[in-house]
Amino acid sequence: MKRLLSAIHKIENAVLILIITYIVVIVCINVALRYFFSTMLVWSDEIVGYAFVFMGMLGSAAVIRDDSNIYIDILVKKIPTEKQKYLYVPVQIIIACVLAFFIAASIKLAYGNMDVKSPMNRMSMAIPYGAMAFGMVIMLFELVVNFVIKAKNKEMHWTVEDYDDDRI
Protein backbone atom coordinates (compact mmCIF):
# COMPACT_ATOMS: atom_id res chain seq x y z
CA MET A 1 0.00 0.00 0.00
CA LYS A 2 2.86 2.38 0.78
CA ARG A 3 4.31 1.82 -2.68
CA LEU A 4 0.97 2.59 -4.31
CA LEU A 5 0.55 5.81 -2.29
CA SER A 6 4.14 6.78 -3.05
CA ALA A 7 3.52 6.26 -6.76
CA ILE A 8 0.32 8.33 -6.63
CA HIS A 9 2.14 11.13 -4.82
CA LYS A 10 4.95 11.09 -7.37
CA ILE A 11 2.40 11.33 -10.18
CA GLU A 12 0.68 14.25 -8.43
CA ASN A 13 4.01 16.03 -8.00
CA ALA A 14 5.01 15.35 -11.61
CA VAL A 15 1.69 16.74 -12.88
CA LEU A 16 2.16 19.85 -10.74
CA ILE A 17 5.67 20.33 -12.14
CA LEU A 18 4.41 19.87 -15.70
CA ILE A 19 1.61 22.38 -15.20
CA ILE A 20 3.84 25.07 -13.73
CA THR A 21 6.42 24.46 -16.46
CA TYR A 22 3.72 24.75 -19.12
CA ILE A 23 2.43 28.00 -17.59
CA VAL A 24 5.89 29.54 -17.37
CA VAL A 25 6.83 28.55 -20.94
CA ILE A 26 3.57 29.78 -22.49
CA VAL A 27 3.64 33.06 -20.57
CA CYS A 28 7.31 33.66 -21.52
CA ILE A 29 6.55 32.92 -25.18
CA ASN A 30 3.63 35.32 -25.07
CA VAL A 31 5.73 38.06 -23.47
CA ALA A 32 8.41 37.62 -26.14
CA LEU A 33 5.84 37.63 -28.93
CA ARG A 34 4.22 40.79 -27.60
CA TYR A 35 7.53 42.57 -27.09
CA PHE A 36 9.27 41.64 -30.34
CA PHE A 37 6.40 41.03 -32.79
CA SER A 38 3.40 42.92 -31.32
CA THR A 39 1.34 39.76 -31.45
CA MET A 40 0.43 36.94 -29.11
CA LEU A 41 -0.93 33.41 -28.88
CA VAL A 42 -4.62 34.25 -28.66
CA TRP A 43 -5.60 30.96 -27.02
CA SER A 44 -2.91 31.02 -24.33
CA ASP A 45 -4.44 33.29 -21.69
CA GLU A 46 -7.55 31.15 -21.40
CA ILE A 47 -5.63 27.88 -21.19
CA VAL A 48 -3.15 29.34 -18.69
CA GLY A 49 -6.09 30.44 -16.51
CA TYR A 50 -7.55 26.94 -16.55
CA ALA A 51 -4.11 25.48 -15.82
CA PHE A 52 -3.80 27.79 -12.79
CA VAL A 53 -7.13 26.54 -11.45
CA PHE A 54 -6.13 22.91 -11.92
CA MET A 55 -2.70 23.56 -10.38
CA GLY A 56 -4.40 25.21 -7.40
CA MET A 57 -6.61 22.19 -6.90
CA LEU A 58 -3.75 19.69 -7.10
CA GLY A 59 -1.58 21.96 -4.96
CA SER A 60 -4.31 21.98 -2.33
CA ALA A 61 -4.33 18.19 -2.40
CA ALA A 62 -0.56 18.22 -1.84
CA VAL A 63 -1.02 20.56 1.14
CA ILE A 64 -3.62 18.18 2.60
CA ARG A 65 -1.32 15.21 1.90
CA ASP A 66 1.65 16.85 3.61
CA ASP A 67 -0.47 18.28 6.43
CA SER A 68 1.25 21.61 5.87
CA ASN A 69 -1.47 24.22 6.04
CA ILE A 70 0.11 27.15 7.85
CA TYR A 71 -3.15 28.61 9.13
CA ILE A 72 -3.90 25.37 10.96
CA ASP A 73 -0.38 25.47 12.43
CA ILE A 74 -1.02 28.95 13.79
CA LEU A 75 -4.30 27.90 15.41
CA VAL A 76 -3.34 24.52 16.82
CA LYS A 77 0.12 25.52 18.02
CA LYS A 78 -1.65 27.00 21.02
CA ILE A 79 -3.45 23.72 21.85
CA PRO A 80 -1.48 20.94 23.57
CA THR A 81 -0.94 17.92 21.30
CA GLU A 82 -2.77 15.52 23.61
CA LYS A 83 -5.90 17.73 23.51
CA GLN A 84 -5.88 18.21 19.73
CA LYS A 85 -7.50 14.80 19.22
CA TYR A 86 -10.82 16.24 20.42
CA LEU A 87 -10.68 18.87 17.69
CA TYR A 88 -8.88 16.90 14.97
CA VAL A 89 -11.60 14.37 14.16
CA PRO A 90 -14.52 16.85 13.93
CA VAL A 91 -12.45 19.24 11.79
CA GLN A 92 -11.49 16.43 9.40
CA ILE A 93 -15.14 15.37 9.13
CA ILE A 94 -16.22 18.95 8.40
CA ILE A 95 -13.53 19.31 5.74
CA ALA A 96 -14.60 16.00 4.15
CA CYS A 97 -18.25 17.10 4.11
CA VAL A 98 -17.39 20.48 2.57
CA LEU A 99 -15.25 18.77 -0.08
CA ALA A 100 -18.04 16.29 -0.84
CA PHE A 101 -20.50 19.17 -1.27
CA PHE A 102 -18.14 21.04 -3.61
CA ILE A 103 -17.40 17.87 -5.58
CA ALA A 104 -21.12 17.33 -6.14
CA ALA A 105 -21.64 21.00 -7.04
CA SER A 106 -18.73 21.09 -9.50
CA ILE A 107 -19.86 17.83 -11.14
CA LYS A 108 -23.33 19.34 -11.54
CA LEU A 109 -21.74 22.52 -12.92
CA ALA A 110 -19.60 20.53 -15.37
CA TYR A 111 -22.53 18.44 -16.49
CA GLY A 112 -24.75 21.50 -16.91
CA ASN A 113 -22.14 23.32 -19.02
CA MET A 114 -21.16 20.55 -21.41
CA ASP A 115 -22.67 22.44 -24.34
CA VAL A 116 -21.18 25.81 -23.35
CA LYS A 117 -18.00 26.64 -25.27
CA SER A 118 -15.11 28.71 -23.94
CA PRO A 119 -14.78 32.10 -25.66
CA MET A 120 -11.34 31.70 -27.26
CA ASN A 121 -10.67 28.00 -27.66
CA ARG A 122 -14.22 26.83 -28.19
CA MET A 123 -13.70 23.88 -25.86
CA SER A 124 -16.44 22.61 -23.60
CA MET A 125 -16.59 24.38 -20.26
CA ALA A 126 -17.17 20.97 -18.73
CA ILE A 127 -13.39 20.48 -18.96
CA PRO A 128 -12.34 23.25 -16.51
CA TYR A 129 -15.33 22.57 -14.26
CA GLY A 130 -14.54 18.86 -14.38
CA ALA A 131 -10.93 19.67 -13.49
CA MET A 132 -12.20 21.35 -10.33
CA ALA A 133 -14.18 18.24 -9.43
CA PHE A 134 -11.18 16.02 -10.18
CA GLY A 135 -8.90 18.17 -8.03
CA MET A 136 -11.33 18.06 -5.12
CA VAL A 137 -11.68 14.28 -5.44
CA ILE A 138 -7.88 14.09 -5.12
CA MET A 139 -8.09 16.39 -2.07
CA LEU A 140 -10.72 14.16 -0.47
CA PHE A 141 -8.63 11.09 -1.25
CA GLU A 142 -5.57 12.66 0.39
CA LEU A 143 -7.64 13.73 3.40
CA VAL A 144 -9.01 10.22 3.93
CA VAL A 145 -5.60 8.56 3.43
CA ASN A 146 -3.95 11.01 5.83
CA PHE A 147 -6.72 10.46 8.39
CA VAL A 148 -6.50 6.65 8.16
CA ILE A 149 -2.71 6.70 8.53
CA LYS A 150 -2.91 9.01 11.55
CA ALA A 151 -5.67 6.90 13.13
CA LYS A 152 -3.65 3.75 12.55
CA ASN A 153 -0.58 5.33 14.17
CA LYS A 154 -2.70 6.86 16.95
CA GLU A 155 -1.52 10.36 15.96
CA MET A 156 -4.84 12.17 15.94
CA HIS A 157 -3.33 15.65 15.90
CA TRP A 158 -1.87 18.10 13.43
CA THR A 159 1.79 18.05 12.60
CA VAL A 160 2.91 21.48 13.73
CA GLU A 161 6.01 23.03 12.24
CA ASP A 162 8.10 25.08 14.62
CA TYR A 163 8.42 28.32 12.68
CA ASP A 164 10.96 30.85 13.74
CA ASP A 165 8.99 34.04 14.37
CA ASP A 166 11.80 36.20 12.98
CA ARG A 167 11.48 34.55 9.54
CA ILE A 168 7.74 35.21 9.17
Side-chain angles (χ1 to χ4, degrees):
M1 189 65 162
K2 284 184 180 182
R3 291 177 68 183
L4 177 63
L5 286 176
S6 178
I8 291 170
H9 295 159
K10 285 180 183 179
I11 291 169
E12 287 174 6
N13 291 340
V15 170
L16 283 168
I17 290 168
L18 288 173
I19 292 172
I20 192 69
T21 302
Y22 172 80
I23 290 170
V24 168
V25 167
I26 294 299
V27 168
C28 287
I29 289 171
N30 247 357
V31 167
L33 286 172
R34 285 182 192 149
Y35 185 76
F36 294 113
F37 302 107
S38 297
T39 188
M40 64 179 271
L41 302 172
V42 179
W43 52 268
S44 65
D45 289 342
E46 190 173 78
I47 297 295
V48 165
Y50 298 150
F52 264 114
V53 170
F54 191 59
M55 184 180 65
M57 292 297 178
L58 280 182
S60 297
V63 166
I64 290 172
R65 172 189 70 210
D66 298 337
D67 212 10
S68 60
N69 224 332
I70 192 165
Y71 78 88
I72 290 179
D73 285 0
I74 290 169
L75 294 174
V76 300
K77 195 173 186 180
K78 302 189 183 319
I79 302 170
T81 303
E82 60 275 354
K83 295 193 178 179
Q84 285 182 17
K85 64 183 171 188
Y86 301 113
L87 189 59
Y88 185 81
V89 174
V91 166
Q92 299 306 307
I93 291 170
I94 291 169
I95 292 171
C97 290
V98 168
L99 280 173
F101 171 78
F102 281 122
I103 289 167
S106 60
I107 288 171
K108 183 177 179 183
L109 191 61
Y111 185 73
N113 287 291
M114 290 178 79
D115 296 334
V116 178
K117 303 291 182 196
S118 67
M120 297 302 288
N121 298 319
R122 309 300 304 155
M123 70 180 198
S124 172
M125 288 303 293
I127 294 171
Y129 293 137
M132 289 183 347
F134 179 76
M136 285 186 269
V137 166
I138 300 294
M139 282 186 234
L140 186 59
F141 169 77
E142 294 293 355
L143 183 78
V144 169
V145 167
N146 199 9
F147 184 82
V148 168
I149 290 171
K150 284 185 173 244
K152 186 178 175 183
N153 295 335
K154 295 183 180 14
E155 296 175 352
M156 300 304 277
H157 58 83
W158 287 276
T159 307
V160 180
E161 297 290 330
D162 191 17
Y163 298 104
D164 184 1
D165 294 333
D166 295 335
R167 294 185 305 153
I168 297 178

